[in-house]
Amino acid sequence: MPAHTCRPSGVPGIFQLNDTVKILQRLDLVLILYARGHQWRVVHLNKKHPENLKPSWYGHSVGHYEGDTLVVDTVGLNDKPWADRYGTPQTTQMHVVERYRMVPDRRGNGGQVLQAHFFVEDPGAFTRPWSALAHSRSVAGLASRA
């Protein structure tokens, strides 16, 4: 796993950390902070992706709200992180769409957890798109939309 070698986890690999997540928001952007490894991402709200992106560990993310759900679209990812904990490679063609929302905690304690449903396309690595759910059971904070 990249985190074991002190490399960023990338997207969608970051969802495997199963650790505390904090989301902070301003009018023009959302910051997603991950406790492990002090990793973080910037999501530009209501913007478009620029052209000719230089691939990076977390790519370029733009987002918007659909009701109570934050929808994040990420492109411009590099091919260095793994797509999963088993070392599955990814390419610079990867495109990830995430949908974040608060849902009831299934443990029955009356609390809520942050659910991230992510959809992955990478024609350079996979024969078809795939998706998965991740739940952050220890949510440090979720800022309200300003």
Side-chain angles (χ1 to χ4, degrees):
M1 194 169 191
H4 296 161
T5 59
C6 298
R7 298 185 310 162
S9 297
V11 177
I14 193 72
F15 295 113
Q16 298 170 71
L17 295 183
N18 197 23
D19 208 347
T20 301
V21 176
K22 187 169 189 171
I23 297 179
L24 306 171
Q25 182 172 338
R26 293 183 1 174
L27 289 175
D28 59 341
L29 62 85
V30 171
L31 293 175
I32 304 175
L33 309 172
Y34 304 95
R36 188 172 304 170
H38 305 289
Q39 298 179 69
W40 53 278
R41 295 172 58 201
V42 175
V43 178
H44 305 274
L45 291 177
N46 303 311
K47 305 253 176 158
K48 293 185 178 188
H49 294 294
E51 298 203 18
N52 302 318
L53 286 169
K54 180 181 175 188
S56 64
W57 290 93
Y58 288 104
H60 186 269
S61 298
V62 297
H64 66 275
Y65 277 93
E66 292 177 3
D68 65 350
T69 302
L70 173 63
V71 180
V72 178
D73 183 278
T74 302
V75 297
L77 295 156
N78 67 28
D79 59 0
K80 295 176 183 175
W82 299 341
D84 59 27
R85 71 180 72 214
Y86 304 107
T88 303
Q90 65 185 53
T91 73
T92 58
Q93 298 175 58
M94 182 169 275
H95 177 205
V96 181
V97 176
E98 305 149 68
R99 301 179 67 81
Y100 293 91
R101 67 188 186 111
M102 298 301 294
V103 298
D105 189 338
R106 293 183 293 199
R107 294 180 293 180
N109 62 9
Q112 291 189 315
V113 296
L114 179 65
Q115 175 182 280
H117 177 232
F118 55 100
F119 179 82
V120 179
E121 294 178 289
D122 187 344
F126 304 111
T127 58
R128 63 180 184 210
W130 58 276
S131 66
L133 282 174
H135 292 92
S136 294
R137 299 224 182 271
S138 178
V139 178
L142 180 66
S144 62
R145 291 184 287 163

